[in-house]
Amino acid sequence: MKRKLIAAIGIAGMMVSIAACGDSDSKGGSDKGADAKELTVWLTVDAQNNWPELVKAADDAVQKKHPGIKINHEYYGWPDKNAKLDAVLATDKAPDVVEMGNTEMLPYMVKGAFAPLDPAKFENSAAWLDGLKASVTYEDKTYGVPYYAGGRVANWRKDLFASVGVKSAPKTWQELTAALDKVQQKQGGKFSAWYQPTRDWYAAMSFVFDAGGAIAKEEGGQWKASLSSPESIKGLTEFKNVVDKYMHGDKTKDESDRYIVYGQGNSGMIFAPAWEGATAADPKNDKTGKLKGNVENFVAPGPSGKNLPVFLGGSDLAVPVKSDAQDVAAEWINALTGAAGQKGLMAKGNLPNNKTDLATLKNDPATAVPATAAESNWFVPMAPGWGQVEKAQVLQTMLQNIGTGKKSVEDAAKEADAAIDKVINTK
């Protein structure tokens, strides 16, 4: 499950009218719209196609408390959702609840598009997963509620590793690299024992965080890039070592077609969202005819000796500041994301929004790997100008320069820091 930052900075002009009418001191539960007669909920097609019964259950809970209230639903695809949201937020017809990818939240929070919420009014808020909690928090206020999550795992071809005597998933970095070395030697120089696209910044930053580094840090209310810190350099160097030793494909590519490349049979392992291995093994993508039942997810160990921390993707639910039904909107969100809703979402293959439910998945072999991997997670800097960093593809450019050898790790990181520092504090 991958959520791209879509037109993040394009909302600036539209937000002028929003900021003018926003109440920065309001909270969910402020009696704003507590007697609303109508509620409009915008969700993505994921909910419409995969868990419509959970949406109906949330409707029923709200309608039981507010007899006669009308609840309208609109469903959108990820590519076009934000453009439509930007347009409607400039009017007086904003929806009352809107689903956002977690990396999409920040520019809207910065510009005042969403109403502050009181986390105490939402079930399990004290146990929200760190990465999701970060995605709804800006300047110590909460502007959304985590909905569900998805993480990254390692996936390998059991047959290839068994052919070199490795029959169980590696538990340590030393075991992993030793197994990869054997596969690489047997398969030859054109084969990628680990297909790791160079521009995949989600993977690269996992190595940075594993080494104790960070993309940027906040000090005294200002953000400063830290990719050239000793810790970050160590992580980037580990990432480069993986690319140099095991990645023998095009080193200018990103991860968008990784599952397709994996399905072509020229690689033995990937580090990716949990669905990619199974998708590669789908008959329409499996060009080897050998992947079905032969690919397996496992928790990726990191060079630090701990599990490799993963970027935690997912969705959040927010209440536009222009909503006239903010209280009821918050109640509807709690009905969908609370204990019953999380149970239903987990049954659909999603990771929950909180650590309490996540712990229960570790006891089920079918969900133990993604649940365990998600326990160690990271998120992007919640800085006002982060959207501009993503839009400029600063990290991808740095990683391509590193992976292709165009620049040293140190020089590429310093250049990236300079580019980040120019915009990261810009609202």
Short mmCIF file of all heavy atoms in Angstrom, two decimals, residues 66 68 110 138 158 180 188 191 212 221 230 242 252 262 268 274 279 285 306 358 370 376 393 400 406:
data_model
loop_
_atom_site.label_atom_id
_atom_site.label_comp_id
_atom_site.label_asym_id
_atom_site.label_seq_id
_atom_site.Cartn_x
_atom_site.Cartn_y
_atom_site.Cartn_z
N HIS A 66 -27.92 9.65 16.73
CA HIS A 66 -28.52 10.86 16.14
C HIS A 66 -29.62 10.44 15.17
O HIS A 66 -29.42 10.47 13.94
CB HIS A 66 -27.45 11.69 15.41
CG HIS A 66 -26.31 12.12 16.27
ND1 HIS A 66 -26.34 13.26 17.04
CD2 HIS A 66 -25.09 11.54 16.50
CE1 HIS A 66 -25.19 13.40 17.69
NE2 HIS A 66 -24.42 12.35 17.38
N GLY A 68 -32.34 10.11 12.52
CA GLY A 68 -32.75 10.97 11.42
C GLY A 68 -31.62 11.62 10.66
O GLY A 68 -31.85 12.22 9.60
N VAL A 110 -0.49 22.18 7.73
CA VAL A 110 0.27 23.43 7.75
C VAL A 110 -0.60 24.61 7.32
O VAL A 110 -0.53 25.70 7.90
CB VAL A 110 1.51 23.31 6.82
CG1 VAL A 110 2.18 24.67 6.64
CG2 VAL A 110 2.51 22.32 7.39
N TYR A 138 0.82 18.07 14.21
CA TYR A 138 1.58 19.22 13.74
C TYR A 138 1.56 20.28 14.82
O TYR A 138 0.49 20.66 15.31
CB TYR A 138 1.00 19.77 12.44
CG TYR A 138 1.77 20.96 11.90
CD1 TYR A 138 3.08 20.81 11.45
CD2 TYR A 138 1.20 22.23 11.87
CE1 TYR A 138 3.79 21.90 10.97
CE2 TYR A 138 1.90 23.32 11.39
CZ TYR A 138 3.21 23.15 10.95
OH TYR A 138 3.93 24.23 10.49
N LYS A 158 12.24 -18.99 -1.89
CA LYS A 158 12.74 -20.09 -1.06
C LYS A 158 13.55 -21.10 -1.86
O LYS A 158 14.53 -21.65 -1.35
CB LYS A 158 11.56 -20.78 -0.35
CG LYS A 158 10.84 -19.91 0.65
CD LYS A 158 9.79 -20.70 1.42
CE LYS A 158 8.61 -21.06 0.53
NZ LYS A 158 7.56 -21.77 1.30
N LEU A 180 22.77 -14.15 0.88
CA LEU A 180 22.78 -13.41 -0.38
C LEU A 180 24.07 -13.62 -1.14
O LEU A 180 24.07 -13.75 -2.38
CB LEU A 180 22.58 -11.92 -0.09
CG LEU A 180 21.18 -11.49 0.37
CD1 LEU A 180 21.22 -10.07 0.92
CD2 LEU A 180 20.17 -11.58 -0.78
N GLY A 188 25.40 -15.67 -10.66
CA GLY A 188 26.21 -14.89 -11.58
C GLY A 188 25.97 -13.40 -11.54
O GLY A 188 25.03 -12.91 -10.90
N PHE A 191 22.58 -11.37 -12.27
CA PHE A 191 21.44 -11.66 -11.39
C PHE A 191 21.50 -10.74 -10.17
O PHE A 191 22.58 -10.42 -9.68
CB PHE A 191 21.51 -13.13 -10.95
CG PHE A 191 20.33 -13.60 -10.14
CD1 PHE A 191 19.18 -14.05 -10.77
CD2 PHE A 191 20.38 -13.61 -8.76
CE1 PHE A 191 18.10 -14.51 -10.04
CE2 PHE A 191 19.30 -14.04 -8.01
CZ PHE A 191 18.15 -14.50 -8.65
N GLY A 212 20.75 5.05 13.40
CA GLY A 212 20.61 6.15 14.35
C GLY A 212 20.56 7.51 13.71
O GLY A 212 20.60 8.54 14.40
N GLY A 221 12.48 24.96 17.21
CA GLY A 221 11.40 25.33 16.31
C GLY A 221 11.79 25.39 14.85
O GLY A 221 10.95 25.71 14.00
N PRO A 230 27.19 11.75 10.93
CA PRO A 230 27.92 10.48 10.91
C PRO A 230 26.99 9.27 10.92
O PRO A 230 27.26 8.27 10.23
CB PRO A 230 28.76 10.54 12.19
CG PRO A 230 28.95 12.00 12.44
CD PRO A 230 27.67 12.65 11.99
N VAL A 242 24.60 -2.63 -0.21
CA VAL A 242 23.58 -3.56 -0.72
C VAL A 242 23.43 -3.39 -2.23
O VAL A 242 23.42 -4.37 -2.99
CB VAL A 242 22.23 -3.32 -0.01
CG1 VAL A 242 21.10 -4.05 -0.74
CG2 VAL A 242 22.30 -3.79 1.43
N THR A 252 19.19 3.46 -12.11
CA THR A 252 18.53 4.76 -12.18
C THR A 252 17.02 4.62 -11.96
O THR A 252 16.28 5.59 -12.08
CB THR A 252 18.77 5.46 -13.54
OG1 THR A 252 18.12 4.70 -14.57
CG2 THR A 252 20.25 5.56 -13.84
N TYR A 262 10.55 -8.51 -10.13
CA TYR A 262 10.68 -9.71 -9.30
C TYR A 262 10.00 -10.90 -9.97
O TYR A 262 10.52 -12.03 -9.96
CB TYR A 262 10.06 -9.42 -7.93
CG TYR A 262 10.37 -10.39 -6.83
CD1 TYR A 262 11.61 -11.03 -6.73
CD2 TYR A 262 9.43 -10.65 -5.83
CE1 TYR A 262 11.89 -11.90 -5.69
CE2 TYR A 262 9.71 -11.51 -4.77
CZ TYR A 262 10.94 -12.14 -4.71
OH TYR A 262 11.22 -13.00 -3.68
N GLY A 268 16.43 -12.60 -6.34
CA GLY A 268 16.12 -13.58 -5.31
C GLY A 268 15.40 -13.03 -4.11
O GLY A 268 14.79 -13.79 -3.34
N ALA A 274 4.22 -5.39 1.92
CA ALA A 274 3.98 -6.82 2.11
C ALA A 274 3.24 -7.48 0.96
O ALA A 274 3.34 -8.70 0.77
CB ALA A 274 3.23 -7.04 3.42
N THR A 279 1.97 -10.42 -5.24
CA THR A 279 1.59 -9.88 -6.54
C THR A 279 2.55 -10.34 -7.63
O THR A 279 2.14 -10.63 -8.76
CB THR A 279 1.55 -8.35 -6.49
OG1 THR A 279 0.66 -7.94 -5.44
CG2 THR A 279 1.07 -7.76 -7.80
N ASN A 285 1.90 -12.01 -13.57
CA ASN A 285 3.20 -11.36 -13.40
C ASN A 285 4.36 -12.34 -13.32
O ASN A 285 5.51 -11.97 -13.55
CB ASN A 285 3.19 -10.51 -12.12
CG ASN A 285 2.20 -9.38 -12.17
OD1 ASN A 285 2.08 -8.69 -13.17
ND2 ASN A 285 1.46 -9.17 -11.08
N LYS A 306 19.20 -5.05 15.12
CA LYS A 306 17.75 -5.02 15.37
C LYS A 306 17.02 -5.18 14.04
O LYS A 306 17.63 -5.17 12.97
CB LYS A 306 17.36 -3.71 16.03
CG LYS A 306 18.05 -3.46 17.37
CD LYS A 306 17.64 -2.10 17.94
CE LYS A 306 18.34 -1.83 19.26
NZ LYS A 306 17.97 -0.50 19.82
N LEU A 358 -1.99 -4.50 17.27
CA LEU A 358 -0.87 -5.03 16.49
C LEU A 358 -0.23 -6.23 17.20
O LEU A 358 0.15 -7.22 16.57
CB LEU A 358 0.18 -3.94 16.28
CG LEU A 358 1.34 -4.29 15.34
CD1 LEU A 358 0.85 -4.41 13.91
CD2 LEU A 358 2.43 -3.22 15.43
N PRO A 370 4.30 -9.13 8.97
CA PRO A 370 4.07 -7.68 8.83
C PRO A 370 3.83 -6.99 10.17
O PRO A 370 4.22 -5.84 10.35
CB PRO A 370 2.85 -7.58 7.92
CG PRO A 370 2.20 -8.92 7.98
CD PRO A 370 3.30 -9.90 8.21
N SER A 376 8.80 -1.61 14.56
CA SER A 376 9.91 -0.66 14.45
C SER A 376 9.68 0.15 13.19
O SER A 376 9.83 -0.36 12.07
CB SER A 376 11.25 -1.41 14.37
OG SER A 376 12.32 -0.50 14.21
N GLN A 393 12.08 15.73 -5.30
CA GLN A 393 12.75 14.43 -5.35
C GLN A 393 14.22 14.53 -4.91
O GLN A 393 15.12 13.94 -5.53
CB GLN A 393 12.65 13.82 -6.75
CG GLN A 393 11.22 13.56 -7.18
CD GLN A 393 11.11 12.68 -8.40
OE1 GLN A 393 12.08 12.37 -9.06
NE2 GLN A 393 9.89 12.27 -8.70
N GLN A 400 20.33 8.17 -6.34
CA GLN A 400 20.80 7.80 -7.68
C GLN A 400 22.26 8.18 -7.86
O GLN A 400 23.05 7.42 -8.43
CB GLN A 400 19.94 8.46 -8.76
CG GLN A 400 20.36 8.05 -10.18
CD GLN A 400 19.37 8.53 -11.22
OE1 GLN A 400 18.16 8.53 -10.99
NE2 GLN A 400 19.87 8.94 -12.38
N LYS A 406 28.13 8.37 -9.20
CA LYS A 406 28.38 9.72 -9.71
C LYS A 406 28.98 10.60 -8.64
O LYS A 406 29.81 11.48 -8.92
CB LYS A 406 27.07 10.32 -10.24
CG LYS A 406 27.24 11.69 -10.86
CD LYS A 406 25.91 12.20 -11.43
CE LYS A 406 26.07 13.58 -12.06
NZ LYS A 406 24.79 14.08 -12.63
#
